[in-house]
Amino acid sequence: MSISLDTGVRFSLEIDGVATTAPAGATILDVCRAVGVDTPTLCYLETLTPVNVCRVCVVELEGARTLVPACSRVVEDGMKIRTDSERVRASRRMVLEFLASSVDVSLADDMQRQMKRYGAKPERFGAEARTVRQPVKVDNELYVRDYSKCILCYKCVEACGSDAQNTFAIATAGRGFDAHISTEFNVGLPDSACVYCGNCIGVCPTGALMFVSEHEMREAGTWDEARQTKTDTICGYCGVGCTLTVHAQDNEIVKVSSPADHDVTHGHLCIKGRFGWKFVGVKKRRSDG
Amino acid sequence: MDLHHLTDEPTAEERAAVDALLGPYLENGVSGREARSQRHLLLPALHAVADRVGWVSRGALGYICRRLTVPPADAFGVVSFYDLLSTEPLPPLTVRICDDVACMAAGCDALIGDVEKRFGPEGASNSGAAWLRSPCLGLCEQAPAALLTSAGVKPRVAALAPAALASIEAALANSAEAALGNSAGIDVDEPCSLPQAGEPQLRLLRRIGRGDPLDLDAYRGAGGYGALSRAFDLGPDGVIREILASKLIGRGGAAFPTGRKWEAVAREPEHPHYVVCNADESEPGTFKDRVLMEEDPFAVIEAMTIAAFAVGSEQGYIYIRGEYGRARERIVAAIAAARAAGLLGADVMKRGLRFDIEVRRGAGAYICGEETALFNSIEGFRGEPRNKPPFPVRKGLFGKPTVVNNVETLVNVLDIVTNGGATYAAIGTPDAAGTKLFCVSGHVAQPGLYEVTFGTTLRALLDRAGGVRGGAALQAVLVGGAAGAFVLPDELDAPLTFAGMREVKAALGSGVVIVFDQSVDLAAIVRRIARFFRHESCGQCVPCRIGTVRQEESLDRLALAHGAGVDDEMRLLHEIGQVMRDASICGLGQTASSAVESALAKLPVFGAGRSA
Ligand SMILES: Cc1cc2nc3c(=O)[nH]c(=O)nc-3n(C[C@H](O)[C@H](O)[C@H](O)COP(=O)(O)O)c2cc1C
Ligand code: SF4
Ligand code: SF4
Ligand code: SF4
Ligand code: FES
Ligand code: FES
C-alpha cells in the first residue's frame, strides 16, 4: 500500500537523469508513476501490503550493491535511480523469462506486454526446463484453481488474509521451486476455510484463479471479451453499497468484479455480490435449455 | 478471529506431546488475543509432535492450530517449509545420510549405494525405520556423516560419524530399542575435531578439551565469567567502546563490524531489545559453531549476557540448527546451570542485570541462518527472509531492535572485554583483527577445527592440517562453502583475510576449507552445490526460486555439451548468475552462483579449455 505520509517534506531525487521531488514515505514506484516511467509490476497492488517477491520492478540505485525493488523501497533524499540501464533491463528480462519458462502466462496480459517490451525469450532454457504444470483443481461450483498459471505473487494469500478477507484459507506451502499456494494438507476448497468471497480471483494477475463460468467457456472456445459488456451497479444484497462490475456476454452474466479504486470495496466483495448472480444464471440456463 | 479448523482429532500420544509443551487444554480457557501472541510456539509444538511420533498428522496439526489460534493453512505452510518435519507418515526412526561436498570427498556416494541396495529407496519404511539423503550435517571433519533421529517418549538426535554401512545397518535394524531410547548397538563416535587441542597460542579454543564442558566451577576456575564481571565494571557504553576498538567483524559470513551493530541497538529508543545468537550453522563444510557449543557452552552464554548488558536487553534467544542434538543438549544444560548459579535470571551476578536465554531449535532449513528468516522462524512463520531495510538493529525479532550475532563472533567478545579492544585489534592484520576458526575437511591428513591468526596463508593452514592426505597432489580448495569459491594450488600463498581472499576471487565466508585431491570429480561437486541452492531456496523471490533451477539444469546440459554448445551454456550461466546476484532478496540467491562462476572461471574441467 502506498502510504503518503505527507508531512510537507519533499525529497529531491533523480530518475534516469531527470531531477524530481517526492514526498517522504513515497516509494520509488510512486515516483516512477508520477513522472510517467512505465515500470512493470507483478506482485504489487495498491490495495495490498508489498511483498516484493517478483523482482520485476527492480531499479538501479546509485551506491547500492544490488538492484532494489521499486515497489517497496521508500525514497530518500538524494537518491539517484536508473530504470533503463542495461543492468536493469537484463534483470527484468530474465525475471520475465524465468516465469514464462515455468508457468503458463498466456492469460497474463500485462506480463505479455512487458515481455515484448523487454524482448524476453523464455524458450532459451530449453524444452526440458522444469515447469509447474499440473491438473486444474475443480472442486466447487464457483471457481477453479489452475496453478499451472501461478507465478506465486502472493496476492491471493494477502487478499484472503489480513489485507482484506481475514479468512486465511490459503497460504504458501513447500519450499523453493516446490513452493505453491495451498490449503491445509491440500484439502479441497469445500473442506477448507474458504467462504467464496472471490477476492483472490479479483487480484490474481494471471488467470490462475477463475470463475467456473469463464473456465468452462474458455475450454469450450466460446469466451470472447470483444463481445462482452461491463456494467457497474450497486449490489442489492445488503446495505453496504458495494459497486459490482457485471461482465456479460450474449446477455448472460459471465463474471462479476469490483473496481480496485472503489473506496468501499477496494476491489473486494463477498460471496453474494461475487457469485449471487450464479444462482440466477444457473436457473436461467436450465430453463432455457 | 473465528478460524475454521481441521476436524481430524489428534491421537492420545500427539495430544500428550503438545500438552507437555503448552499445558493442558482448557476448552475456551484462552481468549483469542492471548492465544494469538503464542504463535511463536508453533515450531516448538510441531517439534514436540514430531519428536513423539515422527511426523505431523492432520489431527496433530489441527490440535496445535486450535491451541495456538493459528489458521491451519498457515501452519501447513510452516510445517511443509522444513526438511526435518514431515506431513507424510514417516517411521519413528530415520537415518539421514549426508551427500554433500565434504562427504562426497569421503565416498558417501558408494556408501549410499550400498544402503540403497540393502534397505531399498530413500524414504521407504523398513520395519519402523527409513533412510534419507541430507545436505551437510555439520560433521564434515568426520565424513562421511549420518544423523540418527528417533521419535518416542525419549526422542534422540545423534550423530553417526564417521558412518559406515555396518553402523547404519545397526541403527536401522535396532529400530525398536532405539525408538524406546535404548542406544545399544548404535555407534555414536566422540568427535576428534581438535588437532590443536592444548596448544598454548589458542584463544577461542583454549578451554576446549580440558575437561567436562558442563562443569561450571571448572569454567569459572579457569577465568570464566571474569569477562562479564569486567563488563559490569565498564558499563554498557564502556563495553561497546571496547568492541568498537577491537575492530571485531562478524564471523557468520556477512562480515559486518560487531561494535557498530551493538551501538545501533543500544541507541534505539524502542524497547524491548533482543539478543539473538545465530547457531543455525548450515553452510556446507561449516562445523565450528557446533564444536564451540558442544565443548564450551558457558562461553557462548557468558558472551550473550555481555551483549545483553551492553545493548539493554532482557531476553536472548539462541537458534540452534535442528540437526545439532548434542550441542542443543549441552547449551540447555549450561543455561540451567548458569541460571541455578545466578548467572542468568532476575539479577545476574547481583549486579542488577535481568537477562535470560531461550533455546530455539531449527527444523532443517539453511535459509533460517539468514538473520531475518531466523526471526520469522522463531516467530512461528515460514523462514522467508524479509526485505531490508529496515535492518534488524531497528526492526528485528518481533519487530523490535535486535542484535544478532554468530556463535564464533560472540566467543571473541570475552577476550575483548577482558583484555581490552586495543589488545585484540593488535592481533592479526590491520583489515582483519583477531583469530579465525577454519573448518578444514576433505582430503587432508588431519581434518578438524583450526584456529589461526588472521593473515596466516592458506598454505600454512593446510600444512598445519598435515597437507593433502597420503601426500597426493592437490586439485583445488573450496573456501567459504557452497556460497564460496575455488582456490587453486598456485594460489595457496594468499593470506586468510577478507582482502587476501578477494585477491584470489574468493571470500572467507564462514571459514570453510574443503580440500580436494585429484581423485575428485569437481564438475560433480559443482553440480552438488547447485542442487544445494535449488533445494534450500525459500522460494519467495523469482530470481532465486527459478534461477537456482535453471542454473542446475544448465550445468547438467553443460556436462554433455560440445563445441559451441559449451559457450552457449556458459553464457547462459553467467546471465543467470548476474540476475540472481542483482535481483534476489537475500544472500542465498545473491551467492547461489558464486561457486559456479568461480568454477567456470578457474577450473580446467569448465574453463576456456573446454570450449576451445
Ligand atoms: C543464506 C544465509 C545463511 C546464513 N546462515 C548463517 C548461519 O548459519 N550462521 C550465522 O551466524 N550467520 C548466517 N548468515 C548470516 C546472517 O544473516 C547474519 O549476517 C549473521 O548471523 C550476523 O552475525 P555476525 O555479524 O556475528 O556474523 C547467513 C546468511 C545467509 C544469507
Ligand atoms: S474465495 Fe475468498 S475465502 Fe476463498 S480462498 Fe479466495 S479470498 Fe480466501
Ligand atoms: S494464484 Fe494468482 S494471485 Fe495467487 S499467487 Fe498465484 S498468480 Fe498470484
Ligand atoms: S533469494 Fe532465495 S532464499 Fe532469499 S528470499 Fe529469495 S527465494 Fe528466498
Ligand atoms: S512488483 Fe516489486 S517486487 Fe514485485
Ligand atoms: S557433514 Fe557431509 S558435507 Fe558436512
Side-chain angles (χ1 to χ4, degrees):
Chain A
M1 228 169 285
S2 74
I3 357 137
S4 274
L5 301 167
D6 210 335
T7 49
V9 185
R10 287 191 83 83
F11 291 147
S12 309
L13 55 157
E14 213 181 277
I15 293 207
D16 297 331
V18 180
T20 181
T21 66
T27 61
I28 294 176
L29 180 65
D30 294 334
V31 183
C32 287
R33 289 187 171 173
V35 301
V37 172
D38 179 12
T39 309
T41 60
L42 290 170
C43 66
Y44 173 83
L45 202 63
E46 289 76 358
T47 53
L48 303 173
T49 315
V51 286
N52 49 74
V53 295
C54 77
R55 317 305 278 186
V56 78
C57 68
V58 286
V59 297
E60 200 168 341
L61 172 63
E62 198 176 284
R65 187 174 43 90
T66 61
L67 303 178
V68 303
C71 65
S72 57
R73 186 61 177 260
V74 174
V75 294
E76 289 159 40
D77 202 38
M79 274 184 167
K80 287 202 169 88
I81 295 153
R82 293 227 77 95
T83 72
D84 61 351
S85 64
E86 189 39 46
R87 196 171 159 210
V88 169
R89 294 181 61 83
S91 257
R92 290 182 176 178
R93 183 187 311 119
M94 192 164 266
V95 162
L96 292 164
E97 288 170 342
F98 280 160
L99 285 171
S101 63
S102 45
V103 182
D104 169 4
V105 296
S106 55
L107 300 184
D109 295 342
D110 195 51
M111 201 175 145
Q112 294 290 342
R113 183 175 70 83
Q114 296 292 356
M115 284 173 59
K116 233 177 243 139
R117 173 181 173 203
Y118 286 103
K121 296 191 184 67
E123 60 284 356
R124 58 202 297 235
F125 302 111
E128 304 292 310
R130 216 175 131 190
T131 71
V132 298
R133 197 171 304 130
Q134 58 190 285
V136 187
K137 287 187 196 313
V138 186
D139 55 18
N140 68 87
E141 291 178 15
L142 301 179
Y143 79 100
V144 303
R145 295 175 293 154
D146 182 0
Y147 289 124
S148 299
K149 296 194 178 76
C150 176
I151 57 170
L152 217 64
C153 70
Y154 287 54
K155 281 178 177 169
C156 54
V157 177
E158 293 211 298
C160 188
S162 49
D163 275 351
Q165 181 57 29
N166 269 307
T167 295
F168 306 94
I170 46 176
T172 317
R175 195 172 75 193
F177 196 80
D178 299 324
H180 60 284
I181 307 296
S182 181
T183 57
E184 58 275 18
F185 287 91
N186 200 16
V187 299
L189 286 180
D191 294 321
S192 78
C194 178
V195 296
Y196 303 101
C197 64
N199 290 333
C200 51
I201 312 173
V203 295
C204 181
T206 61
L209 308 177
M210 194 178 269
F211 284 70
V212 165
S213 44
E214 177 173 349
H215 174 69
E216 286 176 349
M217 288 171 76
R218 283 186 186 274
E219 293 284 284
T222 55
W223 182 261
D224 184 359
E225 274 172 31
R227 275 161 50 209
Q228 288 173 12
T229 57
K230 287 189 208 172
T231 319
D232 280 2
T233 162
I234 303 288
C235 178
Y237 275 101
C238 76
V240 173
C242 299
T243 297
L244 306 181
T245 304
V246 177
H247 304 237
Q249 182 175 327
D250 306 333
N251 293 323
E252 289 249 15
I253 300 175
V254 290
K255 74 173 173 185
V256 167
S257 61
S258 184
D261 57 4
H262 185 262
D263 52 7
V264 175
T265 69
H266 300 290
H268 306 312
L269 296 170
C270 76
I271 183 171
K272 293 175 191 150
R274 184 88 63 183
F275 291 109
W277 58 274
K278 258 296 272 199
F279 307 105
V280 183
V282 167
K283 270 190 215 128
K284 193 161 157 241
R285 239 181 309 178
R286 282 214 189 106
S287 58
D288 282 357
Chain B
M1 193 161 29
D2 235 358
L3 290 178
H4 170 97
H5 284 294
L6 285 156
T7 49
D8 311 67
E9 285 298 321
T11 64
E13 258 191 311
E14 291 165 342
R15 183 188 294 269
V18 175
D19 289 353
L21 177 78
L22 302 178
Y25 186 28
L26 313 168
E27 200 81 44
N28 295 324
V30 186
S31 81
R33 175 151 285 284
E34 274 165 344
R36 203 145 54 236
S37 66
Q38 297 194 329
R39 170 129 192 184
H40 68 103
L41 294 174
L42 179 56
L43 188 52
L46 294 168
H47 269 309
V49 168
D51 276 351
R52 184 69 67 98
V53 297
W55 65 293
V56 182
S57 70
R58 284 188 190 211
L61 190 75
Y63 184 59
I64 292 171
C65 287
R66 283 199 293 280
R67 299 227 34 191
L68 299 176
T69 324
V70 176
D74 253 39
F76 182 73
V78 173
V79 197
S80 58
F81 190 84
Y82 295 103
D83 277 353
L84 296 182
L85 297 173
S86 176
T87 54
E88 304 282 330
L90 201 63
L93 192 138
T94 61
V95 172
R96 288 168 206 267
I97 308 174
C98 175
D99 66 358
D100 220 321
V101 280
C103 290
M104 282 172 81
C108 68
D109 289 343
L111 174 67
I112 289 173
D114 289 345
V115 171
E116 197 159 19
K117 249 180 250 147
R118 170 84 176 68
F119 293 98
E122 180 184 10
S125 178
N126 214 302
S127 51
W131 73 274
L132 299 161
R133 286 174 182 267
S134 173
C136 176
L137 292 165
L139 296 161
C140 330
E141 85 284 18
Q142 306 163 66
L147 184 80
L148 175 135
T149 58
S150 90
V153 182
K154 283 199 217 154
R156 296 185 57 211
V157 177
L160 216 57
L165 184 61
S167 56
I168 291 172
E169 265 177 354
L172 287 171
N174 263 319
S175 56
E177 294 104 288
L180 292 171
N182 176 352
S183 64
I186 294 171
D187 147 27
V188 183
D189 285 0
E190 271 298 317
C192 47
S193 318
L194 287 162
Q196 291 169 301
E199 289 182 13
Q201 83 287 0
L202 295 179
R203 294 168 190 275
L204 296 166
L205 300 180
R206 69 167 176 271
R207 285 173 295 268
I208 296 187
R210 302 216 157 162
D212 178 3
L214 285 173
D215 183 343
L216 179 55
D217 292 333
Y219 178 74
R220 297 186 78 168
Y225 278 96
L228 179 59
S229 176
R230 169 114 178 91
F232 285 136
D233 295 340
L234 289 169
D237 292 347
V239 172
I240 291 175
R241 256 197 313 277
E242 296 303 332
I243 305 292
L244 283 166
S246 75
K247 299 192 184 152
L248 175 64
I249 281 174
R251 307 291 197 243
F256 190 83
T258 306
R260 280 184 29 214
K261 202 181 269 188
W262 290 23
E263 189 178 36
V265 173
R267 283 187 185 158
E268 274 296 321
E270 196 181 344
H271 280 268
H273 294 175
Y274 292 107
V275 170
V276 174
C277 173
N278 188 340
D280 193 48
E281 187 161 79
S282 309
E283 181 70 44
T286 319
F287 50 86
K288 64 194 178 69
D289 298 340
R290 188 201 83 230
V291 175
L292 288 174
M293 287 186 286
E294 287 178 351
E295 307 297 332
D296 205 4
F298 289 113
V300 182
I301 294 164
E302 183 183 356
M304 284 181 74
T305 313
I306 293 172
F309 175 66
V311 306
S313 164
E314 296 189 348
Q315 183 62 52
Y317 288 87
I318 175 163
Y319 186 97
I320 305 177
R321 78 176 288 197
E323 292 84 345
Y324 282 179
R326 183 189 317 211
R328 186 173 69 250
E329 279 163 27
R330 294 204 177 156
I331 288 283
V332 166
I335 287 174
R339 215 178 268 142
L343 300 167
L344 284 174
D347 188 7
V348 175
M349 282 178 122
K350 301 215 165 39
R351 300 288 295 259
L353 172 72
R354 171 190 289 273
F355 181 63
D356 216 322
I357 300 173
E358 206 176 297
V359 176
R360 288 306 179 101
R361 175 176 163 197
Y366 167 63
I367 190 55
C368 289
E370 196 281 339
E371 52 198 16
T372 60
L374 189 156
F375 302 151
N376 277 343
S377 180
I378 292 182
E379 291 178 27
F381 295 94
R382 291 163 57 79
E384 293 175 352
R386 304 173 185 168
N387 208 48
K388 292 187 265 193
F391 291 95
V393 293
R394 286 203 49 224
K395 288 198 182 303
L397 184 61
F398 300 113
K400 302 296 178 191
T402 302
V403 160
V404 46
N405 275 126
N406 173 257
V407 175
E408 180 189 351
T409 311
L410 285 167
V411 172
N412 276 284
V413 163
L414 302 177
D415 276 5
I416 293 171
V417 172
T418 305
N419 306 326
T423 310
Y424 183 92
I427 308 164
T429 68
D431 96 304
T435 58
K436 175 80 193 89
L437 298 180
F438 286 97
C439 311
V440 182
S441 65
H443 294 132
V444 284
Q446 277 188 297
L449 186 59
Y450 290 85
E451 177 178 3
V452 299
T453 313
F454 269 117
T456 305
T457 63
L458 182 52
R459 186 185 303 284
L461 175 64
L462 296 188
D463 286 348
R464 178 60 193 82
V468 180
R469 199 166 61 206
L474 176 68
Q475 188 178 184
V477 183
L478 181 63
V479 176
F486 292 93
V487 175
L488 299 183
D490 62 1
E491 298 172 323
L492 296 184
D493 291 317
L496 291 164
T497 58
F498 302 102
M501 283 297 108
R502 226 173 292 132
E503 288 282 297
V504 292
K505 296 197 166 50
L508 284 183
S510 52
V512 172
V513 173
I514 307 178
V515 176
F516 302 110
D517 70 14
Q518 298 288 347
S519 70
V520 174
D521 175 3
L522 288 182
I525 297 283
V526 173
R527 286 200 301 276
R528 178 64 187 92
I529 291 172
R531 174 154 68 89
F532 175 79
F533 283 109
R534 189 256 296 150
H535 179 73
E536 298 297 338
S537 164
C538 84
Q540 188 182 198
C541 69
V542 174
C544 170
R545 175 176 80 238
I546 306 177
T548 52
V549 173
R550 297 292 176 253
Q551 172 173 271
E552 191 188 12
E553 289 169 348
S554 180
L555 280 169
D556 287 346
R557 286 195 300 266
L558 181 61
L560 306 170
H562 299 285
V566 173
D567 288 338
D568 289 348
E569 283 316 332
M570 303 238 297
R571 209 172 303 120
L572 188 62
L573 281 167
H574 287 310
E575 279 185 57
I576 295 171
Q578 180 69 35
V579 172
M580 288 200 285
R581 253 193 320 283
D582 266 352
S584 294
I585 292 180
C586 85
L588 189 150
Q590 288 161 12
T591 59
S593 60
S594 304
V596 174
E597 298 257 16
S598 165
L600 295 188
K602 285 188 173 183
L603 299 181
V605 272
F606 294 103
R610 275 216 41 206
S611 59

